[in-house]
Amino acid sequence: MTSPRRARTVVEVSDPYANYLLQVPPSGEGICITCHSSVYDGYERCLPCNRARQKLGPLVFDATAFVSLAPSGQQLARELITYKKEEIPEKYRHPRMAGLAAVLWRWLSVHEAHVAQRAGTPGFSMVTPVPSTRGRPGEHPLKRLVSGIVAGTGDRYVDLLEAHGGDRGREVATDRFTIVRPVAAASVLVIDDTWTSGARAQSAAAALKLAGTSKVGFVGVGRWFNTDFADNAKWLIRRRRTRWNWDRCCLE
Ligand SMILES: [Zn+2]
Ligand SMILES: [Zn+2]
């Protein structure tokens, strides 16, 4: 018999998420090679990913992966907003944070090796979050998630990036972030809760590479997309046909 006060395991906490996590499709015909959203047939990358690549060239991420699709207005997209909303009381935010941490923890334990392999490194020596560019008091919840809750990233956690110039929207630029620690020759895994256009994250990758890192990979919890845009609602219906599987990722 188990004690009712027994701490819940990562598997137990993350299991209910299987009801609404959405398998991210591998890149290929109709799927962007970088952000795994839908693209018109014949195109390798979507418009924002193409723009980042044109602007930054080899300074973009060596590998990008996402735990789940996060369609706008739906459960995961809502949780990714709620867990960090300052005006929501801690007692409501905390379970979201624990849940998302468990999801990220469980996913990384299987798939971080695949991200490293795709990036061309045996492993990542440092893990860092994309800092918020909006500026908020206190510790950012993403930092708490990656540095304190998720085992396996906590011991490699380093604050490497500092946002520069406030909220610069979807601007892709090498000077959006300053690197605040030595990173020469390190391989870095950048983590963010949400990927929208990728402008902020790719700008972070560029700053890290200019500072001398070897390989830079990215993992996002939610690959956000707007269900009202173009054919995205239809695309989502097709995506729902694939059952969630903790052992599969978009890099396979
Ligand atoms: Zn893309
Ligand atoms: Zn994988």
Side-chain angles (χ1 to χ4, degrees):
M1 222 169 96
T2 53
S3 150
R5 296 181 65 86
R6 180 179 62 90
R8 294 169 71 210
T9 66
V10 169
V11 169
E12 285 167 346
V13 176
S14 58
D15 264 345
Y17 281 78
N19 295 318
Y20 53 86
L21 291 175
L22 267 173
Q23 209 69 34
V24 182
S27 59
E29 192 63 19
I31 304 292
C32 175
I33 199 169
T34 304
C35 75
H36 297 258
S37 66
S38 76
V39 285
Y40 296 115
D41 284 347
Y43 286 90
E44 207 173 42
R45 284 181 185 79
C46 70
L47 209 60
C49 291
N50 206 31
R51 207 177 288 140
R53 199 154 175 272
Q54 275 172 356
K55 181 105 193 247
L56 303 173
L59 301 178
V60 295
F61 286 110
D62 300 298
T64 41
F66 309 87
V67 175
S68 170
L69 296 174
S72 59
Q74 303 198 5
Q75 187 75 14
L76 181 63
R78 283 206 304 268
E79 292 219 3
L80 287 167
I81 296 169
T82 310
Y83 95 99
K84 58 183 176 185
K85 222 175 193 159
E86 284 154 81
E87 52 271 37
I88 293 176
E90 178 89 2
K91 66 172 178 181
Y92 297 116
R93 273 197 287 135
H94 190 77
R96 302 283 84 76
M97 178 147 1
L100 291 168
V103 167
L104 182 61
W105 183 342
R106 185 170 177 179
W107 191 91
L108 284 172
S109 69
V110 181
H111 303 292
E112 186 188 332
H114 304 152
V115 185
Q117 191 180 28
R118 180 65 63 94
T121 176
F124 295 107
S125 51
M126 295 178 174
V127 179
T128 202
V130 184
S132 162
T133 48
R134 298 223 166 88
R136 53 181 291 149
E139 189 184 57
H140 191 279
L142 175 67
K143 177 175 173 176
R144 220 166 110 195
L145 205 119
V146 180
S147 72
I149 306 178
V150 177
T153 53
D155 54 342
R156 289 174 291 156
Y157 181 93
V158 198
D159 276 316
L160 293 178
L161 297 150
E162 218 161 71
H164 206 59
D167 184 7
R168 292 164 66 176
R170 295 192 170 189
E171 184 191 353
V172 174
T174 54
D175 67 350
R176 276 189 77 158
F177 296 94
T178 311
I179 307 301
V180 294
R181 300 265 158 81
V183 288
S187 51
V188 179
L189 178 62
V190 176
I191 294 185
D192 206 353
D193 47 38
T194 310
W195 173 291
T196 306
S197 71
R200 227 159 41 86
Q202 292 286 26
S203 299
L208 285 164
K209 285 198 171 178
L210 284 173
T213 51
S214 63
K215 302 292 182 188
V216 187
F218 177 87
V219 168
V221 179
R223 196 308 169 208
W224 188 90
F225 68 93
N226 187 346
T227 47
D228 295 335
F229 182 72
D231 285 337
N232 279 353
K234 262 194 246 164
W235 188 68
L236 177 59
I237 292 168
R238 286 207 302 278
R239 297 268 59 90
R240 286 200 189 287
R241 289 186 196 136
T242 308
R243 271 197 72 197
W244 174 256
N245 183 342
W246 289 102
D247 295 324
R248 304 219 49 180
C249 78
C250 60
L251 298 181
E252 285 149 34

